[in-house]
């Protein structure tokens, strides 16, 4: 097969034009009223009846003829004869005549002869009085039944909602293009409309490719390189949020026939097909062949980061967009190019965009010459000004967007952003608010408990060394550092605690590991932490002490430990490796071993310090942390 080559990357504007040329509309459908919220009308709806359909009382009180109250006031009330009562939902059975009134409930039908009503607060009811005759019989002191004293005058129409006052038959109720709200549901209900014509949601088929993908909830075999499918669910949520109907298809492996069948099925059933995942040559070949046989490939490759490997084309009557496989790249491309097209097809207006201006917290270099969509987070400094810091763990990381508040767009001509440079952040939603506290540093169980007690914190477990470096640069509010500090840094210590560290081993310690010497002298597999970790620093000091004790070079000790140079990032990861049988021992904390019911060989204790940016000690989030920290440390004693 002669594959069509796209050697020149398209610009972002060209990618938008290509997607705009595709037809994603799903047609028209009628939906019941209870399913109409958020849907978009395709035709005008006129009132077929008056609302209300009758003259009704606006308040509890008395229906009457307005002329019978003229001149009435507190000193000289009008006296009217009560001739009945009317409740909501009941048809009146009385016709008012001169000098008469009817007790009436809110929403009840006004009786014939009445043209106004008086609220009960401006009236007094007078029950008939009785007197004793000599014979013992009773007689009314007043002729007739009860009366009501009206202590105010009213004009015709006062406190009455006339038929059609809300909306009259023949009036325009809602127009085409209206996104139906709960308020509109109320109007349609009042008009007796139980079904409405709306734009059909664009059906968007989502196909994730790759033999390594596993659905969440299914058993994961990491030894095979399997990973949970992230893109299918994040993209499906984005489709629904944009007004589309997401259709998840089975995973397409790298086997060509299977992938081709799923792509063709999705194209037959959906208005738009989105694929993401495998970038293997065989997978791309299948996509090219299916598109060339059933449609047209419009674009391959966009000059944007992240998101370069994007495909745009047609599959028969369906549109097709191939998203990058990495989650951050896939979601950034979807959000920038695909979601607006889905919203347009669904008739959903663009969401209210919100931007925030701030200063870049640290310098940022970029030399690839592509338009960049840079995920960023927000934090306020001690003066309340907004600082903007990049959040970039790589396109393959799933937490880059979860830890970010918005995006800064950087043009292809810019290769360097200076710290302090003003930037504009497009927030992911108008509801985004900066965290009350932004912390970085060592991962630790006590830190997790501290965060649970704060209102809206953000904490990035980057390790002690990067945390201290960022604190020195003035980015976070606080940094958590474990172990010996390699250099002084200007900060304010909010508190500290000690944690016991050592070797985490299998339950019951079947290998009878007694200390670091066993890792050096015996054939045991070890899992270390990364060099950014405070635990790694303490282990390094212990290794140096052992080397000095044995009179050998430190590197001889390190080389003798199988796995010393390979480290994992999170504080619990070595323990997980031991549980999985991938290691005999791992560097970790006693608290972790106890929680996971594993064995533990102590090697020492190390301090953990919470260090605050000295310019932000009066910031409310930092003061809240200090209060919670005092409570947690008091409970641990």
């Amino acid at each position: 097969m002669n594959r069509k080559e796209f050697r020149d990357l398209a610009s972002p504007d060209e990618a938008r034009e290509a997607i705009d040329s595709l037809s994603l509309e799903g047609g028209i459908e009628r939906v019941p009223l209870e399913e109409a919220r958020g849907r978009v009308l395709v035709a005008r709806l006129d009132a077929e009846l008056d609302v209300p359909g009758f003259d009704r009382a606006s308040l509890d009180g008395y229906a009457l003829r307005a002329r019978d109250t003229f001149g009435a006031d507190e000193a000289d009330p009008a006296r009217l004869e009560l001739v009945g009562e009317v409740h909501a939902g009941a048809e009146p059975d009385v016709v008012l005549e001169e000098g008469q009134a009817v007790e009436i409930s809110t929403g009840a039908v006004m009786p014939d002869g009445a043209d106004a009503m008086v609220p009960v607060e401006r009236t007094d009811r007078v029950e008939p009085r009785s007197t004793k005759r000599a014979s013992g019989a009773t007689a009314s002191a007043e002729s007739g039944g009860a009366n009501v004293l009206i202590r105010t005058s009213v004009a015709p129409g006062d406190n009455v909602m006339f038929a059609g006052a809300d909306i009259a038959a023949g009036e325009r109720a809602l127009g085409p293009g209206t996104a139906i709200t709960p308020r509109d549901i109320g109007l349609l209900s009042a008009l007796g409309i139980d079904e409405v014509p709306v734009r059909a949601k664009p059906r968007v088929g989502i196909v994730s490719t790759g033999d390594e993908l596993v659905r969440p909830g299914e058993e994961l075999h990491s030894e095979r390189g399997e990973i949970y499918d992230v893109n299918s669910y994040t993209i499906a949520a984005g489709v629904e949020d944009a007004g589309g109907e997401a259709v998840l298809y089975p995973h397409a492996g790298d086997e060509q026939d299977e992938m081709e069948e799923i792509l063709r099925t999705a194209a037959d059933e959906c208005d738009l097909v989105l694929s993401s995942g495998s970038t293997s040559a065989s997978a791309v070949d299948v996509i090219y062949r299916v598109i060339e046989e059933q449609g047209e490939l419009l674009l391959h490759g966009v000059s944007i980061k992240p998101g370069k490997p994007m495909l745009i084309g047609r599959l028969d009557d369906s549109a097709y967009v191939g998203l990058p496989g990495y989650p951050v790249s896939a979601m950034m491309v979807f959000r920038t190019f695909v979601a607006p097209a889905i919203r347009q097809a669904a008739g959903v207006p663009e969401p209210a965009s919100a931007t925030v201006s701030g200063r870049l917290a640290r310098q940022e270099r970029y030399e690839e010459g592509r338009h960049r969509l840079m995920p960023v987070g927000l934090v306020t400094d001690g003066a309340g000004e907004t600082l903007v810091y990049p959040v970039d763990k790589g396109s393959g990381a799933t937490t880059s967007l979860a830890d970010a508040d918005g995006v800064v767009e950087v043009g292809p001509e810019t290769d360097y952003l200076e710290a302090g440079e003003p930037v504009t952040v497009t927030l992911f939603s108008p509801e985004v608010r900066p965290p009350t506290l932004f912390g970085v540093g060592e991962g630790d169980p006590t830190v997790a408990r501290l965060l649970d007690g704060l209102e809206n914190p953000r904490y990035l477990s980057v390790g002690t060394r990067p945390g201290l470096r960022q604190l020195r640069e003035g980015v976070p509010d606080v940094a958590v550092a474990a172990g010996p500090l390699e250099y002084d840094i200007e900060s304010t210590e909010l508190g500290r605690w000690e944690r016991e560290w050592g070797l985490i081993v299998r339950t019951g310690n079947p290998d009878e590991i007694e200390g670091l010497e066993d890792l050096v002298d015996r054939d045991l597999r070890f899992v270390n932490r990364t060099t950014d970790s405070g635990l790694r620093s303490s282990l390094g000091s212990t290794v140096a002490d052992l080397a000095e004790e044995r009179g050998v070079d430190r590197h001889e000790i390190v080389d003798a430990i199988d796995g010393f140079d390979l480290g994992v990032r999170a504080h619990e990861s070595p323990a997980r490796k031991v549980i999985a049988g991938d290691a005999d021992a791992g560097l970790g904390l006693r608290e972790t071993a106890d929680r996971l019911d594993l064995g533990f060989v102590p090697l020492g204790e190390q301090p953990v310090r919470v260090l605050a940016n000295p310019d932000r000690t009066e910031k409310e989030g930092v003061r809240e942390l200090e209060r919670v920290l005092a409570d947690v440390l008091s409970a641990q004693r």
Side-chain angles (χ1 to χ4, degrees), residues 430-497:
E431 292 77 29
V432 168
R433 296 293 181 269
T436 55
L437 178 89
F438 176 42
V440 297
E442 190 78 6
D444 182 89
T446 299
V447 172
R449 289 191 288 273
L450 287 174
L451 297 174
D452 290 342
L454 302 180
E455 179 186 354
N456 179 33
R458 175 177 295 150
Y459 188 80
L460 305 182
S461 295
V462 297
T464 291
R465 288 182 177 177
L468 292 175
R469 184 169 60 250
Q470 291 186 35
L471 185 63
R472 185 174 56 189
E473 293 173 344
V475 179
D477 298 319
V478 297
V480 177
L485 300 184
E486 299 179 357
Y487 50 82
D488 292 332
I489 184 170
E490 186 179 0
S491 61
T492 300
E493 183 172 313
L494 301 182
R496 67 166 64 192
W497 62 91

Side-chain angles (χ1 to χ4, degrees), residues 17 20 30 71 116 119 124 167 174 213 232 302 318 390 405 464 478 496 505 559 567 592 608 633:
E17 290 175 3
D20 288 344
R30 299 188 68 86
D124 290 306
I167 185 170
L174 296 173
L213 297 180
S232 288
V302 180
S318 270
D405 298 307
T464 291
V478 297
R496 67 166 64 192
V505 298
D559 292 342
T592 300
V608 183
L633 295 185

Side-chain angles (χ1 to χ4, degrees), residues 517-533:
E517 296 85 347
D518 288 312
L519 300 184
V520 176
D521 301 331
R522 297 167 55 189
D523 185 18
L524 297 170
R525 296 166 298 167
F526 175 64
V527 178
N528 208 343
R529 293 288 306 281
T530 62
T531 56
D532 291 333
S533 167

Side-chain angles (χ1 to χ4, degrees), residues 123-142:
T123 67
D124 290 306
R125 186 177 179 123
V126 180
E127 298 296 339
R129 293 195 305 269
S130 298
T131 59
K132 287 277 188 179
R133 292 181 177 176
S135 62
T138 61
S140 175
E142 301 174 9

Side-chain angles (χ1 to χ4, degrees), residues 136-152:
T138 61
S140 175
E142 301 174 9
S143 61
N147 289 258
V148 60
L149 300 181
I150 309 299
R151 294 184 279 106
T152 185

